[in-house]
Amino acid sequence: MYRYFLQPQLDVSNNSLIGYELLIRQQVDDKWVLPKDFESIPIDIQADLMKRTAQKLRLKIGSVSFNVNQHQFIDCTIAKAIVAAQQQIYPVNLVLEVTEEETDKAVTNEQLIEQVHFFDDHGIQLSLDDISTGVNSYDHLKPVLPYASEIKFAMQNFRAEGRADEIPEHLKFWKKIAQEYKLRLILEGVENAEEDEMANDLELDLRQGWYYGKPHLFKL
């Protein structure tokens, strides 16, 4: 059985909840765990879960987001299911977070941009997740940035790679990019008061992390 865990996304400038990221989990031996292979989860199951979850949240939030890799983002079958889900959860906005996960089949920027236009026509936004991590360098993402609505910086990725001291400089750079391309920049992985204060100093208002709320099971 699969369910979504929700993690809040906040705008600290006015202390408001702007949306939730939907994090899928699988129940194994009475415990909720990360699925071993996200691509093996049938998209109709994910779409149905998204629809049922978002419909219960529709009067409380403006958007919900969930992760796909690049190959899933351009898959026609998945796209149709996502569009159907968006139509059923309106007026909640659906945001697709495209991760840095490498896939077996290479995806070109042209394929990504073409799919962005398709999703735009149906009110679905593109978020580029895990910027400055893995393949999601600035040079790699630059051709796609004009077509995105949002970028996300995951501090937990830097901590896992032993690069935590690089975080402030990377954030300053991506803040300038977000302003240049008129993108939302969400800082995720904020875990303590010190990191919260760093975000205050950098004037980054959109945030996500355990400091503001741990992912919690949403009961259907």
Side-chain angles (χ1 to χ4, degrees):
M1 180 170 68
Y2 296 96
R3 285 291 183 271
Y4 277 122
F5 277 58
L6 308 186
Q7 187 169 35
Q9 298 174 331
L10 306 176
D11 183 343
V12 299
S13 67
N14 55 19
N15 196 32
S16 64
L17 175 68
I18 59 173
Y20 285 107
E21 180 175 358
L22 307 183
L23 304 164
I24 199 163
R25 297 292 184 266
Q26 183 177 12
Q27 191 172 39
V28 178
D29 297 329
D30 296 325
K31 294 182 179 179
W32 292 101
V33 299
L34 278 169
K36 292 182 179 180
D37 181 7
F38 287 92
E39 287 202 71
S40 67
I41 305 171
I43 189 60
D44 57 336
I45 288 179
Q46 294 194 57
D48 180 64
L49 270 179
M50 184 200 318
K51 177 188 69 176
R52 292 164 62 196
T53 302
Q55 283 180 333
K56 287 195 171 186
L57 293 169
R58 64 193 306 173
L59 298 180
K60 301 178 182 179
I61 56 169
S63 70
V64 292
S65 61
F66 80 109
N67 294 323
V68 292
N69 62 36
Q70 291 189 356
H71 186 258
Q72 290 171 322
F73 184 76
I74 67 167
D75 183 278
C76 292
T77 302
I78 293 175
K80 290 178 181 177
I82 289 172
V83 167
Q86 172 64 87
Q87 291 171 342
Q88 293 175 14
I89 68 176
Y90 182 83
V92 177
N93 291 323
L94 182 56
V95 181
L96 297 182
E97 297 186 11
V98 179
T99 69
E100 92 292 356
E101 177 188 0
E102 293 193 42
T103 58
D104 293 337
K105 298 179 181 178
V107 177
T108 67
N109 287 328
E110 289 74 18
Q111 288 175 298
L112 287 174
I113 292 167
E114 182 179 352
Q115 193 72 338
V116 171
H117 290 316
F118 170 78
F119 282 130
D120 271 346
D121 291 341
H122 295 87
I124 298 168
Q125 298 181 2
L126 166 64
S127 172
L128 298 171
D129 199 5
D130 303 321
I131 53 177
S132 278
T133 301
V135 299
N136 277 359
S137 65
Y138 170 69
D139 288 340
H140 179 74
L141 295 175
K142 186 177 179 180
V144 187
L145 286 171
Y147 305 95
S149 298
E150 174 185 286
I151 52 178
K152 294 188 74 178
F153 187 98
M155 291 201 292
Q156 64 271 24
N157 293 348
F158 277 72
R159 289 192 289 261
E161 297 172 0
R163 301 166 57 204
D165 58 331
E166 300 177 23
I167 288 175
E169 285 306 311
H170 279 263
L171 280 173
K172 290 175 185 177
F173 170 78
W174 283 107
K175 180 181 178 182
K176 290 181 181 178
I177 297 301
Q179 292 171 337
E180 178 182 347
Y181 287 91
K182 296 180 172 57
L183 304 171
R184 298 187 302 272
L185 169 57
I186 297 183
L187 176 62
E188 60 176 325
V190 182
E191 294 187 351
N192 53 50
E194 181 180 356
E195 292 173 346
D196 178 68
E197 187 60 33
M198 177 194 68
N200 288 339
D201 292 340
L202 293 172
E203 298 181 333
L204 300 173
D205 293 333
L206 306 183
R207 306 178 199 172
Q208 179 181 340
W210 282 30
Y211 185 70
Y212 312 109
K214 296 182 179 181
H216 60 277
L217 175 65
F218 187 77
K219 295 181 179 180
L220 295 175

